[in-house]
Each structure stands twice: as structure tokens, then as C-alpha cells.
Amino acid sequence: MSEVNSRFKIAKSFGSASASYDISARLQRYCGKHLMPWLPNRNDLTALDLGAGTGFFTDLLASRYQQVLGLDISKNMLRFAKENRNEAITWLEADAYKIPLQDNSIDFVYSNLMIQWCDPLDLVLDEVMRVLKPGGLFVFSTLVDGTLFELKSAWAQVDDDQHVIDFKPEQDIRPLFDGNDRKLLNSKQQDIVLEYDSVLHLAHELKSLGANHVPKKQGKGLAGKDKWQKMTKSYQDFLEPSGIYPATYKVFSGLIVKLNH
Ligand SMILES: C[S@@+](CC[C@H](N)C(=O)[O-])C[C@H]1O[C@@H](n2cnc3c(N)ncnc32)[C@H](O)[C@@H]1O
């Protein structure tokens, strides 16, 4: 599948989830809030929320900063955002690989749980550096390898198909955050374990987040009932004594500065 085609599918998958998204977005809320201490103190700034989704954090940024733009590839996400968020926000329907903004025009870019969808990642980072002013900041969170390992391992006992998106290992993406034009000032890695009362609950949450699109999946559509049952049985290996099904999310957050030269 071409990269553009794949991005179109990601947009569609997120778009169909825009209405249910805010209810299920426990992980997004948690990660997005943890980025707040890295935001600049001055408020006469122009900020871009890259992969803004339903605009929950774009709205928060708009309450603090002079000019705020929210960019997303999904029309439906943006429709929801336009209807529900601060009217002063400028919304851009665009691809993070081709940000429709001038060079050196933005004071800081905020991006919560979006860049894990970007492959190749280096081109998106170059694009972020292009639009940032020298000295500008890129504040982001993403998911790395090990995320949803319980689900991956449960499916691995059923077939060889890919049922869970491939998250890149932290050591593969780290080198991209330092370079001639950029420096990683701060970073952290956290394991967030969310609790589910059933595997179906986890599957529903992933679906309502639009995060169920798997680029390399071979078989089309839903897995057969038998396979699904086998997988849920395998997931029992992780069942906690309290009857809760855990799912681990490995979150990497970073603060990058665009260097002055
Ligand atoms: C997990 S959601 C996070 C949304 C929001 N940042 C939040 O914290 O609630 C990821 C968002 O990234 C968007 N997205 C994925 N790939 C994109 C791309 N190449 N360009 C722009 N947006 C993209 C999706 O449409 C989706 O709205």
C-alpha cells in the first residue's frame, strides 16, 4: 500500500470515530496533560496542535496562547472540533507531511499521540522543524514498541497475521530527535497500564479511538468468531486476580528545540 493511501485509511479510521472519541480517550487525556509542564510560559505565542483530533487540547492551548492552529488529516475529526471548540482556533485539514504553513512561522508545536502513525517519521520531524521559528519548541508524546504487548501476544497464539499496529522501538526513534537543526532537551518514558473488564471492552476502546487500523494486516475485515474466541482465551494469561484485563501502553514524551543556526 502506498504511504498516501495508508494515510487516507488512517484518516478514515479516525474520522468514523470522531463522535465516540472523547468518551474513550482516557490514554490521550493522561498523556496530553503530562506534556503541559513543558509548554512555554509566555502567552504572546503562536502554537500549532499537530494531529489535533477532536481538539480537546487545542482548546486548552487556545485558552493560554495568542494564536492557535489545529491541524488534522481527518475531515470528521475537524468537523467535530469546529463545532465544539474555541471559535478563535484556526483549523487546517492537512497532512503532517505537508504542513500548509510558512517556514519559521510557529513558536511551538504540540503533538499528542499522533506521530506513532507517521512512517517514515523523519520526514514529519523535518516538516515540524521547517515551520518552527529558530528557538521554537516541539512538545510531543508517542507510543513505542511494547505497547499492547498483551494483545499482540494473545493474537500470536492464534495466527501469523498482524492484528496490532507496529510501534517502533524507542532506540530506533531517539536518534531522529537530535541533529544539526534540533536538540532533545528533555524526555521521559512511562508505562501506562489501563484496565478493562473484558477483551471486548479493550477492542471497543481501540475502535472508538479509531486506532484499530493496522497497515500491514493481511486478512480483511473482522477475524472469524473462532479466532476471536481463541485470542480472548489466550488473553486470560494476563488476567489479574481482581478479574481485570490489563493493557500496557508505552508512552515516550519529548521536548525538542529547533536550534538557532
Ligand atoms: C490518537 S489521535 C490524537 C488526537 C489528539 N492529539 C488528542 O490528544 O486527543 C491521532 C490523530 O492524528 C491524526 N493523524 C494521523 N495521521 C496524521 C497525519 N499524517 N497528518 C495529520 N493528522 C494525522 C488522526 O486523524 C487523529 O485525529
Side-chain angles (χ1 to χ4, degrees):
M1 197 185 320
S2 77
E3 276 158 22
V4 172
N5 206 355
S6 167
R7 291 212 281 281
F8 175 73
K9 291 215 162 138
I10 291 170
K12 225 176 124 202
S13 166
F14 273 106
S16 60
S18 56
S20 55
Y21 181 90
D22 274 355
I23 307 162
S24 313
R26 302 189 270 172
L27 179 71
Q28 271 76 1
R29 294 287 179 273
Y30 182 88
C31 296
K33 283 193 181 135
H34 275 72
L35 293 177
M36 293 295 159
W38 286 343
L39 295 186
N41 287 327
R42 273 174 55 183
N43 42 27
D44 58 338
L45 300 177
T46 301
L48 167 66
D49 185 2
L50 194 65
T54 58
F56 180 85
F57 288 105
T58 331
D59 211 40
L60 278 183
L61 296 176
S63 66
R64 265 175 78 169
Y65 298 101
Q66 197 169 47
Q67 197 192 356
V68 174
L69 304 108
L71 179 151
D72 204 281
I73 200 168
S74 157
K75 214 186 247 324
N76 284 350
M77 283 288 189
L78 287 176
R79 188 176 305 134
F80 181 95
K82 273 180 202 156
E83 283 168 11
N84 293 282
R85 308 302 181 196
N86 191 318
E87 286 176 7
I89 300 168
T90 304
W91 298 103
L92 303 169
E93 185 188 334
D95 189 345
Y97 284 83
K98 232 177 158 214
I99 303 175
L101 294 172
Q102 294 193 344
D103 298 2
N104 309 317
S105 58
I106 300 291
D107 292 295
F108 78 92
V109 175
Y110 172 95
S111 185
N112 185 39
L113 294 182
M114 191 285 282
I115 62 171
Q116 69 275 7
W117 300 105
C118 298
D119 191 15
L121 177 58
D122 54 338
L123 298 183
V124 168
L125 295 174
D126 289 348
E127 192 58 356
V128 168
M129 291 303 136
R130 181 185 68 74
V131 300
L132 275 179
K133 292 179 187 170
L137 297 174
F138 180 39
V139 183
F140 68 94
S141 68
T142 186
L143 296 171
V144 293
D145 188 36
T147 293
L148 297 174
F149 75 85
E150 301 91 346
L151 186 60
K152 244 183 186 170
S153 128
W155 271 120
Q157 293 183 49
V158 177
D159 63 25
D160 294 334
D161 206 350
Q162 189 187 357
H163 296 273
V164 183
I165 174 182
D166 266 335
F167 298 99
K168 296 213 171 60
E170 184 187 326
Q171 65 267 28
D172 287 6
I173 57 170
R174 241 177 199 282
L176 305 176
F177 302 141
D178 281 298
N180 282 339
D181 60 347
R182 67 195 78 160
K183 185 171 162 46
L184 184 66
L185 295 179
N186 213 332
S187 68
K188 65 179 171 215
Q189 211 257 289
Q190 284 170 285
D191 279 11
I192 298 173
V193 182
L194 294 186
E195 298 184 333
Y196 298 86
D197 28 5
S198 64
V199 181
L200 196 61
H201 177 197
L202 167 64
H204 279 157
E205 189 163 289
L206 293 177
K207 189 160 192 283
S208 64
L209 290 172
N212 55 333
H213 169 67
V214 179
K216 288 185 204 143
K217 192 169 192 291
Q218 300 296 312
K220 293 261 176 282
L222 293 172
K225 207 172 162 191
D226 288 353
K227 284 191 173 186
W228 172 265
Q229 275 174 353
K230 217 170 153 200
M231 184 278 279
T232 49
K233 202 155 171 267
S234 311
Y235 211 114
Q236 308 276 338
D237 293 350
F238 301 100
L239 190 63
E240 289 171 2
S242 57
I244 287 295
Y245 291 83
T248 303
Y249 298 84
K250 286 194 180 281
V251 181
F252 180 88
S253 317
L255 172 66
I256 298 177
V257 63
K258 174 171 172 176
L259 300 173
N260 273 316
H261 50 267

